[in-house]
Amino acid sequence: MKERRSILFVCTGNICRSPTAEAVLRHLAARESINLRVESAGLGDWHVGDPPDERAQHHARNRGYDLSAQRARQVRPRDFDDFDLILAMDRGHLRALQRMAPPKHHAKIRLFVAERDIPDPYCGGPDGFEQVLDLVEARCRSLIAELRAPLNDPTS
């Protein structure tokens, strides 16, 4: 039996992009019966303990995702040991995580969408939150397919 895999999504304050990705991936993994630990965190401590941005919650809820139980937290040093994959929402987050992480963990830190930043919707309007959801849903669906592949391979 495979052990449970773990993914951490990281953005700036853990109130918009990373909690959205956490909710979407958690929802899709549950629907596909994939045993997966999914969390999110922020680089900064500005919002620690706060729920996700109300606009992020609203737009996610309209698509069937519930962010209401989530609370912002900051990336911790032990996250680099605890998670199999750490996904940065943009290149700035990726660079910051690579600086923070011990070198032995650099391979597990990646950009969530290869060669593309997930734009920060915080200072914008509703279209920004919808764009984030579009990008996150598409990438999470492909991530689920990647995660399922080893489960279907009898040699893994």
Side-chain angles (χ1 to χ4, degrees):
M1 181 164 177
K2 279 259 186 211
E3 68 180 66
R4 185 163 87 155
R5 289 166 288 178
S6 57
I7 296 176
L8 178 69
F9 293 103
V10 177
C11 70
T12 306
N14 193 214
I15 60 166
C16 294
R17 293 172 285 179
S18 59
T20 298
E22 175 185 346
V24 170
L25 187 61
R26 184 176 285 142
H27 176 87
L28 295 176
R31 191 174 72 193
E32 297 291 323
S33 299
I34 296 175
N35 188 13
L36 190 62
R37 174 184 173 204
V38 183
E39 292 185 25
S40 61
L43 292 172
D45 64 357
W46 314 280
H47 301 289
V48 168
D50 293 344
D53 184 281
E54 192 55 48
R55 298 165 298 169
Q57 290 191 59
H58 170 77
H59 289 276
R61 191 170 35 252
N62 286 344
R63 295 197 193 189
Y65 309 111
D66 183 10
L67 281 61
S68 64
Q70 295 184 40
R71 294 296 176 266
R73 74 169 182 86
Q74 191 172 17
V75 173
R76 302 178 289 242
R78 76 171 193 246
D79 288 334
F80 299 106
D81 290 314
D82 289 350
F83 288 91
D84 301 320
L85 188 57
I86 300 173
L87 297 173
M89 292 292 125
D90 67 33
R91 290 174 186 92
H93 303 137
L94 180 66
R95 286 188 299 274
L97 288 164
Q98 288 169 335
R99 284 191 305 270
M100 294 168 66
K104 69 180 181 177
H105 293 303
H106 284 190
K108 67 171 70 174
I109 303 168
R110 300 182 193 146
L111 199 56
F112 177 48
V113 177
E115 304 302 321
R116 180 164 187 176
D117 291 344
I118 301 291
D120 189 349
Y122 186 75
C123 291
D127 289 347
F129 289 91
E130 289 297 320
Q131 180 186 21
V132 166
L133 276 159
D134 290 343
L135 293 167
V136 165
E137 285 178 327
R139 178 62 182 119
C140 283
R141 282 192 294 271
S142 65
L143 190 54
I144 287 291
E146 293 168 27
L147 291 167
R148 289 193 66 75
L151 296 176
N152 295 329
D153 180 1
T155 62
S156 61

